[in-house]
Amino acid sequence: MSGDGEGRHDDGSRGSAGRDEEVRGARCIPGPRPAADALGLAPSAAPLPGEPRNPLELAEPREPRDLGEPAPPPPEDPAPAPRPEPESPVAPLSTPVLSHRVLKALLGAWALAACSAEETAAVEEHLTECAPCADEALRLRDAVGLLHTDRSLDLDPLLRSRVIEGCLSRRPARIPIPAWAAPYDAETARLDALLGDIGASEWHAPVRLRWFDGEQAVNRRTTVAGVIGHLMTVDGLVSTALGLDDPLGPGQRLHSPLERTETYWAAAYRPLTRTVREPWREQSHTLIRTVSFAGRGVAELSVPYGDFALPLQDSLLDRAFECWVHGGDIAAAVDYPYEAPSPSHLHRMIDLAVRMLPAALAERRRAGLAGPARHLVTAGSPGRSLHLEVEGLGGGDWYIALDSPAAVGSPGHTVAQVALDGVEFCRLVAGHTSPVEAAAGQEGDREAIRDVLFAAAALSRL
C-alpha cells in the first residue's frame, strides 16, 4: 500500500535518501588538534587590535601567469623603523633641600659613613658653604679615626701635662702647685691611672721589690696592694713633717722606710686589697694641697729618713722618683705599658741623685767599701771629680766630687768619665741594674768609676 508510508520500508526505517539529507544538514564535530609543542611551534598569541587573525588574509588574488613570462621581482622590504634607545635605569642623583639644623645633626652620621647617598651629597655640598660645620666635620672625622682597632688605645704619657698646661694658660691657678712639687703630683697621678685600669684580681699579682744593700742585690716579694701600702707608709714621713696624720697611727716614731713598711705590712689585714688605693690617693692629694697653701718657706722643712734627712722639696722629688720606679714594678707584674717621666722631671730626679752621691760615697768609704780619699780639700773648693755624662731623656753633664762631700766638682779636676742613658742611670740608682753592667762608656781612673757606680746603687732602698 502507498500513502504516508512513502519513503519508508516495511520495517518502519527511513530510506538512504532521507539519511543522506540528515547527514548533510548536521554540524560536524571537529577532530582533535595536535599540541603546539608536538610540531615544534609556539602557541599563537592573540592578535593585536587591527592585526588580521590569519596572515593568509593579507594575500591578494593573483592572475594566472603564463609560463613564458619572467617571474616578477620580489617586493622590496620596507626599511625598518629606528628603534628607540632604552632609558637609563639609574636616575640622576637629586640633592634634597635640608635646613642647616638638620644638616648639622647629620654630621655625626656622615663622619661614620652612615648617611644615604642623597644625605651625603647634601652634607658635603653644605660643608663647602658653612665653615663652622666644616670644622665640626673634621673634628668628628678625626674622632672616628680613634675607633679603629688596629691602633693603640694607650694614652700619650704627656697628655695630662699638656691638658693641664692648656687649662692653666687660659685660667691660671689661684694657688699654683710649687714647681718642686710638680713631679710628685704627676707621678702619683700616673700611678693612680694605672691602678684604675687593672682588675680586682690583679691587685694580688706578685711583685718583687729590688734594691742594693752594700755589695749585693736584695729583693722582697709582695703584691700590687702591698706596693701601694709601702708607698703610702713612706709618704707618711712627709705627712708627719707637715703636721698631718701618720698612716701608721699616732705615736709612731719610726723614721726608717724599711721599718715603717715592715710595721705596716705586719699590722695590715692580710692579704692587702685594692681598698688601699683610696687612702694612698687621698694622702697624696692632701700633701700637694698642703705644700701649695704653705708658701715658700716650707720648701726647706727637714724630713727625717732615719740615717739622713732631706729638705721637703728634695723629699717630694725623692717620693716622685720612688713612685715612678714602683709604678714600673707594678706595670711589669700586670703587663701594662708604663713610660718614663717627662724629660724635665727626669732631669730633676737625676740631679737629686747626683747631689746625694758624694755623701753616699763618703759613707761607703767609712764602711770600708770604697777606696780611700786621695786629695782632701777645704769645703767649697774644687777637688778630684768624675764627669757623669747622661744621654737621652733628662740628660746633662754633672761633675761629682770624689774625696770629700763638701768639695765642689770641677771640669778642671776630672780624673774619670762615665756615660749613661738617663733611664738606665735611674735604674742603677733604684737598684734595678747591677753597677758592673750599668755604664755604657768608661774612661779614666777605674777605681773612681767603680766607687761612684756602687755608691749610686747604694742610694736604693725599700
Side-chain angles (χ1 to χ4, degrees):
M1 295 181 61
S2 57
D4 55 0
E6 183 179 1
R8 289 180 181 269
H9 295 282
D10 293 339
D11 57 1
S13 61
R14 302 181 65 177
S16 59
R19 287 196 302 270
D20 293 342
E21 292 177 357
E22 293 179 1
V23 171
R24 284 193 296 268
R27 300 180 61 184
C28 294
I29 301 175
R33 299 180 179 178
D37 55 357
L39 300 176
L41 301 175
S44 59
L48 297 176
E51 184 179 351
R53 300 186 60 87
N54 190 344
L56 295 178
E57 296 177 6
L58 295 175
E60 298 180 355
R62 289 183 291 180
E63 296 290 336
R65 182 173 57 86
D66 189 1
L67 295 178
E69 296 179 1
E76 297 181 359
D77 295 333
R83 301 176 61 182
E85 295 183 1
E87 297 182 359
S88 174
V90 180
L93 187 64
S94 60
T95 303
V97 179
L98 302 176
S99 65
H100 174 82
R101 186 173 63 86
V102 174
L103 290 169
K104 185 176 181 181
L106 288 173
L107 291 179
W110 173 83
L112 292 169
C115 289
S116 65
E118 293 81 4
E119 291 172 340
T120 300
V123 170
E124 292 178 352
E125 181 178 348
H126 177 68
L127 296 181
T128 62
E129 303 172 353
C130 181
C133 286
D135 293 339
E136 180 69 15
L138 289 177
R139 286 194 293 269
L140 291 173
R141 182 59 62 87
D142 292 340
V144 170
L146 297 176
L147 300 178
H148 293 297
T149 57
D150 57 343
R151 298 183 182 180
S152 174
L153 297 180
D154 298 322
L155 295 178
D156 184 350
L158 300 180
L159 177 61
R160 180 178 183 273
S161 60
R162 288 202 302 267
V163 171
I164 293 177
E165 182 180 357
C167 294
L168 294 178
S169 63
R170 291 176 176 269
R171 181 188 292 181
R174 213 162 33 117
I175 302 177
I177 297 175
W180 46 266
Y184 179 75
D185 178 38
E187 293 308 312
T188 52
R190 287 207 307 143
L191 179 55
D192 187 55
L194 185 158
L195 299 177
D197 281 352
I198 66 176
S201 62
E202 291 177 307
W203 281 84
H204 303 289
V207 180
R208 193 169 294 277
L209 302 180
R210 297 172 289 168
W211 68 98
F212 192 81
D213 184 14
E215 292 290 327
Q216 62 182 357
V218 294
N219 61 78
R220 178 69 185 271
R221 178 171 175 154
T222 183
T223 63
V224 172
V227 174
I228 301 303
H230 161 64
L231 290 175
M232 179 178 67
T233 303
V234 182
D235 284 354
L237 290 172
V238 184
S239 294
T240 54
L242 290 170
L244 303 174
D245 294 337
D246 189 344
L248 292 180
Q252 294 289 345
R253 296 191 176 275
L254 299 175
H255 299 298
S256 167
L258 178 59
E259 292 177 349
R260 290 178 64 85
T261 301
E262 295 285 0
T263 301
Y264 177 79
W265 282 349
Y269 175 76
R270 292 297 185 92
L272 289 171
T273 64
R274 59 181 176 179
T275 56
V276 72
R277 176 190 175 190
E278 184 176 351
W280 164 76
R281 191 61 176 132
E282 179 59 31
Q283 178 180 255
S284 64
H285 280 148
T286 302
L287 287 176
I288 295 170
R289 187 166 52 248
T290 301
V291 299
S292 299
F293 279 90
R296 297 180 180 178
V298 73
E300 299 300 327
L301 181 67
S302 179
V303 179
Y305 280 79
D307 297 338
F308 63 96
L310 290 174
L312 179 60
Q313 57 183 353
D314 287 344
S315 179
L316 276 186
L317 190 56
D318 169 77
R319 303 311 306 143
F321 174 79
E322 188 169 357
C323 187
W324 163 49
V325 170
H326 289 325
D329 294 335
I330 294 174
V334 299
D335 194 20
Y336 190 95
Y338 208 67
E339 300 293 334
S342 65
S344 61
H345 293 172
L346 190 62
H347 183 86
R348 287 172 174 262
M349 295 175 187
I350 294 173
D351 181 72
L352 173 63
V354 170
R355 287 188 282 114
M356 295 174 68
L357 272 176
L361 184 58
E363 181 67 26
R364 287 180 59 82
R365 186 175 288 121
R366 285 192 293 268
L369 300 176
R374 296 186 182 179
H375 184 66
L376 295 176
V377 296
T378 59
S381 299
R384 280 195 325 136
S385 305
L386 179 140
H387 177 203
L388 175 64
E389 182 182 0
V390 178
E391 303 169 344
L393 295 177
D397 293 278
W398 287 268
Y399 293 89
I400 303 168
L402 295 173
D403 295 325
S404 173
V408 177
S410 169
H413 296 75
T414 300
V415 297
Q417 180 177 357
V418 173
L420 275 169
D421 175 75
V423 175
E424 192 65 20
F425 176 76
C426 290
R427 288 179 56 83
L428 172 65
V429 173
H432 285 46
T433 298
S434 169
V436 179
E437 303 173 353
Q442 304 178 12
E443 183 181 356
D445 191 330
R446 308 299 299 179
E447 184 183 48
I449 293 173
R450 181 187 181 278
D451 288 346
V452 169
L453 292 179
F454 273 81
L459 293 174
S460 64
R461 61 181 183 273
L462 177 62

